[in-house]
Amino acid sequence: MLFADFNMPTRIFFGEDALERGADLIAKAGRRALIVTGKTSAKKSGAEAEVTALLERLGIHFTIYDGVIENPPLLDCHAAGRMAREQNTDFVIGIGGGSPLDAAKAIAAFAANDILPEDIFNDDKRTERALPIFAVPTTAGTGSEANNYSILTLPGGLQKKTLKSPDTWPVASFVVPKFGATMPNSVTLSTALDAFAHAMESYLSPRSTLFSRKAAAFAAREIFDVISALPDAYDAAMRERLSLAATVAGWAISVTGTGFPHPLGYSLTLMDGIPHGRACAAFAADFITYNERCETGRALLAEFAAAIGTKPRVLAAFLPGVANVELALSESEIARHVELIAEAKNYPNSPYVLSKEEIFEIYRSHFLKK
Ligand code: NAP
Ligand code: FE
């Protein structure tokens, strides 16, 4: 039977004049906006200036919250949501990488609901719909602009949890590839690796559909074409391809969710400071090798690699190679990393289902101190 359900509630405006073309949707969202950003990227990229100029032209009052840090903490979003409620905010605009975009979704939900931080994950406690959300990405990676996920760091700073709700889709996203031009090469590469991970993990997911696999294969091909040439610098045409690919892969994971490289990477990000995309790519070869142990996994990987114009073993060598994650951990440090991610829901989401012992095996094979 063919699964081809299709849901994309977010309007995506792509290209130089994206904000202009979607301006009427912003105009309809209300009179008071909260802009949610990190410390520097929204300014450096030029995105904040374009958004504020548009809001001024539309006569919309706005305040700026620029307190989002990487891997946004749940408690910060809770506090910012309260502030938004006190200011009678009508809608939220996230500008930045995945961290500000994910934070904007959570802040929009907290602004509409006077609840405890952890109740954000509980649809029964969250009685009001989130405020309308708009997204302006400045990285080409997470695809948060094209899905309803908000990945939040729990108190203590060692674990992530995903908010996912019918009302956390952006109303519209404005994908302007030139906003990524100020990214250092290392951020461009890491975020591209994240988008590639979304594409590959989504393609193999048992929840994938015909459309999601087509989308994932398209995204993976674009990203692999650009990054496998290992460019010294990324030009405008490359950024355009990466931006579209990341957005498309972001939609693909809205259908399927992600596979095991994502949770395995979370511990490296939160405990060792490895950026999210590189942390996922560190486990790409494991994702390929373990999935090749079963027939469905082997077939899907062969199909996926062929769609990109390569072979699974080339991907298995290339991706962890460019991710270049080098750590030397003791047995007890490995145990701590594994405990924090062992309960994630991603493991059944690929043809081969990892056991906890295999998670240990993978961590030891990469990181055990000699
Ligand atoms: P990020 O954490 O948003 O940003 C990483 C760094 O890049 C920050 O220092 C940021 O600066 C900087 N930066 C961003 N855009 C820039 C630009 N145009 N020029 C210069 N610097 C720039 O990175 P990300 O990889 O995009 O997002 C990672 C987060 O997204 C993680 O929390 C991850 O869990 C989440 N995620 C979400 C999804 C989803 O589907 N929703 C999927 C995968 C990952 P500032 O601090 O100044 O902003
Ligand atoms: Fe990701």
Side-chain angles (χ1 to χ4, degrees):
M1 198 179 107
L2 178 64
F3 291 102
D5 293 3
F6 192 96
N7 182 32
M8 182 44 173
T10 299
R11 290 283 302 272
I12 304 283
F13 295 92
F14 186 93
E16 292 273 313
D17 59 347
L19 277 158
E20 204 48 54
R21 284 185 288 119
D24 60 326
L25 289 174
I26 296 182
K28 277 191 228 147
R31 305 316 306 157
R32 298 178 80 85
L34 176 69
I35 295 177
V36 172
T37 76
K39 265 285 158 280
T40 60
S41 62
K43 288 188 177 56
K44 256 194 241 163
S45 63
E48 186 182 299
E50 281 199 27
V51 169
T52 54
L54 176 65
L55 295 177
E56 277 162 10
R57 188 157 62 68
L58 297 172
I60 294 172
H61 179 269
F62 61 85
T63 47
I64 298 178
Y65 169 73
D66 66 0
V68 181
I69 60 171
E70 288 181 47
N71 308 298
L74 171 66
L75 296 184
D76 290 5
C77 296
H78 183 253
R82 170 163 299 168
M83 184 191 80
R85 199 168 50 251
E86 283 161 6
Q87 294 175 352
N88 295 318
T89 303
D90 293 321
F91 65 97
V92 177
I93 307 182
I95 308 177
S99 298
L101 302 193
D102 284 6
K105 294 172 184 174
I107 291 168
F110 279 126
N113 292 278
D114 191 4
I115 50 173
L116 294 172
E118 59 273 21
D119 289 342
I120 194 92
F121 302 108
N122 182 343
D123 278 346
D124 295 334
K125 300 270 175 150
R126 209 150 63 68
T127 51
E128 301 298 322
R129 285 181 62 82
L131 300 185
I133 299 154
F134 294 88
V136 184
T138 63
T139 61
T142 69
S144 181
E145 67 276 12
N147 65 43
N148 56 343
Y149 300 140
S150 167
I151 298 161
L152 301 167
T153 301
L154 296 177
L158 295 175
Q159 280 178 306
K160 292 194 179 202
K161 191 164 176 179
T162 302
L163 164 67
K164 175 189 181 224
S165 190
D167 59 346
T168 49
W169 288 89
V171 172
S173 294
F174 306 95
V175 186
V176 183
K178 72 170 181 201
F179 292 154
T182 48
M183 272 190 282
N185 275 359
S186 58
V187 178
T188 303
L189 179 62
S190 180
T191 51
L193 289 171
D194 182 25
F196 191 93
H198 297 160
M200 181 160 74
E201 293 166 32
S202 178
Y203 198 94
L204 264 75
S205 164
R207 299 187 209 139
S208 74
T209 66
L210 175 68
F211 287 148
S212 73
R213 285 193 299 279
K214 291 283 178 207
F218 163 78
R221 186 176 189 115
E222 291 295 284
I223 297 163
F224 190 63
D225 253 16
V226 172
I227 66 172
S228 62
L230 296 174
D232 293 330
Y234 296 85
D235 63 23
M238 292 171 181
R239 289 205 181 281
E240 213 164 69
R241 294 177 77 187
L242 292 177
S243 290
L244 182 59
T247 301
V248 169
W251 173 76
I253 57 167
S254 80
V255 178
T256 60
T258 51
F260 71 71
H262 264 73
L264 264 55
Y266 288 160
S267 281
L268 300 186
T269 297
L270 295 177
M271 297 188 75
D272 310 294
I274 308 295
H276 173 65
R278 284 176 54 212
C280 295
F283 300 105
D286 308 294
F287 189 67
I288 292 170
T289 319
Y290 279 90
N291 276 300
E292 281 191 326
R293 291 185 185 178
C294 66
E295 208 176 304
T296 317
R298 223 171 18 254
L300 284 169
L301 278 163
E303 201 179 277
F304 174 75
I308 305 174
T310 187
K311 296 266 187 285
R313 68 183 153 72
V314 175
L315 296 174
F318 175 75
L319 295 163
V322 285
N324 191 24
V325 177
E326 285 182 14
L327 294 170
L329 305 176
S330 65
E331 271 293 348
S332 64
E333 286 168 329
I334 287 179
R336 182 103 176 89
H337 280 69
V338 173
E339 287 310 328
L340 290 166
I341 43 110
E343 302 304 320
K345 299 202 177 79
N346 310 52
Y347 303 110
N349 199 21
S350 60
Y352 189 90
V353 180
L354 278 190
S355 67
K356 192 167 171 186
E357 195 36 57
E358 288 164 335
I359 301 175
F360 268 102
E361 228 172 67
I362 291 173
Y363 255 83
R364 284 194 196 103
S365 73
H366 290 292
F367 309 124
L368 184 60
K369 205 184 294 180
K370 298 284 175 328

